[in-house]
Structures are given as structure tokens and as C-alpha cells.
Amino acid sequence: MKNHIVTAFRLTFVMLAVVGIYLLIVYGGSKVLPTKGDAEIITHNGQKFYANIGQEFKSEKYFHGRPSSVNYNAAGSGGSNKGPSNEEYLETVQKRIDTLKMNHQAMGNAKVPVELVTASGSGLDPDISEEGALYQVKKIAAVRNLSEEKVRNLVKNQAEKPFLGLFGPSKVNVLKLNVALDQLK
């Protein structure tokens, strides 16, 4: 019995050391990131928004981000847990594609960027691909009476390149893009 207790204590201390080292590595690694692991708060029109949490934009004069399976509720993130072969999921995605094409008729039969019709695993992804933002340019320009070129340049300027030029695709933070869009003259 004594051997089991001693072994259990040893294992406990080893695991505490391993977990402690892991936490230090994760914390130290987060400090290397551009935001240093902290939330990025943006104040716009007297309201505070978190740039690293997806926001819902209902107005046609704004770019739209990814759909959310949790209705953009940051208190409880989560995905739909339905696989790509689930019929209900496929129907939902097809409805989103149909709605998007109806709202962006000027795009004709252009390929719909996948992130505009599928929710992320957390339901709170704040970013879309540069292609997803460019897909929406014609409609935004028309609604706001701006030239497509001006709106396209705004998207290009707001695009964040991959981390260290290697990791991940080019992306656009939808909240930052819409704030910049409101400031565009």
C-alpha cells in the first residue's frame, strides 16, 4: 500500500511540473503574438467591441462575417457538431448559399467563399478570408455609393498577411474592416 501512495505522489508532482512548464510555454508564446495574448478592444461610436470575437452585422451597408452557430454569444461558444455529410447541415449551408447569391446578384455564378456560408468551430470567428471580403465589395460599393475600386483597396489595406509570412491564409477582421469603411469618405 505504501508503494502505491509514494508512486501516486511522485506521479502527481511530475504532472504538476509538466503542466506548469506547458503553461509557461503557452503564456510565453502568447506574448510573441501581435496582440501579446490580450483582447483587442475597439471603440466605435461610443461603444466598445472586442476585435477578436465575431460580431453580427445585419445592415446591407456592412461586410458580413461568418455565420454563427451560437448567435454570436461570446458567453457560450461552440459549433453545430454536425459533420459535412449530415443532411440537415447540408440543407442549412445550401440555404445560406442561396441567400448569399440572392443578396449579391451582381456576382452571378462566382464561387461563394466557404467561410461566408459555414460557421467556425467556436461560432465566434472574427475573420474572413480576403476573398470572402472581396466577394462582398460590389454590393457594399453600390449601397454606399462608393466606387468598387475604393472599397476593394480598403479590403486590400485591411488584409492581415499570414503570421510570419508562413502560417495561415491572408485574412480580414470584419469589425476592423467595417470601422474603416465607416471612416471612408
Side-chain angles (χ1 to χ4, degrees):
M1 173 98 166
K2 182 179 174 186
N3 287 342
H4 294 300
I5 292 174
V6 171
T7 303
F9 275 120
R10 285 183 185 159
L11 181 60
T12 300
F13 289 123
V14 167
M15 290 309 298
L16 283 172
V18 168
V19 169
I21 291 169
Y22 170 77
L23 289 174
L24 287 173
I25 290 170
V26 170
Y27 178 76
S30 73
K31 295 304 175 187
V32 174
L33 297 172
T35 61
K36 307 226 182 303
D38 296 328
E40 185 177 355
I41 299 173
I42 294 176
T43 303
H44 182 62
N45 293 337
Q47 288 186 295
K48 290 184 179 182
F49 300 96
Y50 289 94
N52 54 345
I53 297 177
Q55 310 287 324
E56 182 175 24
F57 294 94
K58 293 182 180 181
S59 173
E60 289 188 356
K61 69 179 190 170
Y62 289 113
F63 286 91
H64 295 264
R66 294 188 79 157
S68 174
S69 55
V70 294
N71 296 321
Y72 302 97
N73 180 1
S77 71
S80 71
N81 293 333
K82 294 178 182 161
S85 62
N86 181 291
E87 287 188 32
E88 186 181 336
Y89 175 74
L90 293 173
E91 286 176 23
T92 301
V93 171
Q94 188 59 53
K95 285 179 188 174
R96 290 175 182 160
I97 291 170
D98 295 342
T99 301
L100 196 66
K101 284 189 171 192
M102 187 175 67
N103 289 333
H104 295 272
Q105 291 179 0
M107 293 306 294
N109 286 330
K111 181 182 163 195
V112 174
V114 70
E115 76 274 2
L116 295 180
V117 293
T118 59
S120 65
S122 68
L124 298 170
D125 194 345
D127 303 318
I128 58 175
S129 69
E130 194 172 342
E131 292 77 25
L134 291 172
Y135 184 88
Q136 302 176 63
V137 164
K138 283 187 180 192
K139 180 160 187 177
I140 301 292
V143 169
R144 289 188 174 244
N145 286 329
L146 294 169
S147 73
E148 286 182 32
E149 190 63 31
K150 198 173 204 179
V151 179
R152 189 173 288 107
N153 286 337
L154 178 69
V155 169
K156 297 277 187 192
N157 290 336
Q158 288 292 315
E160 299 173 23
K161 301 304 175 205
F163 182 64
L164 298 176
L166 301 170
F167 303 107
S170 177
K171 62 186 179 182
V172 179
N173 184 289
V174 179
L175 175 63
K176 292 178 184 178
L177 178 60
N178 285 330
V179 168
L181 184 63
D182 277 347
Q183 297 168 351
L184 193 63
K185 302 282 187 229

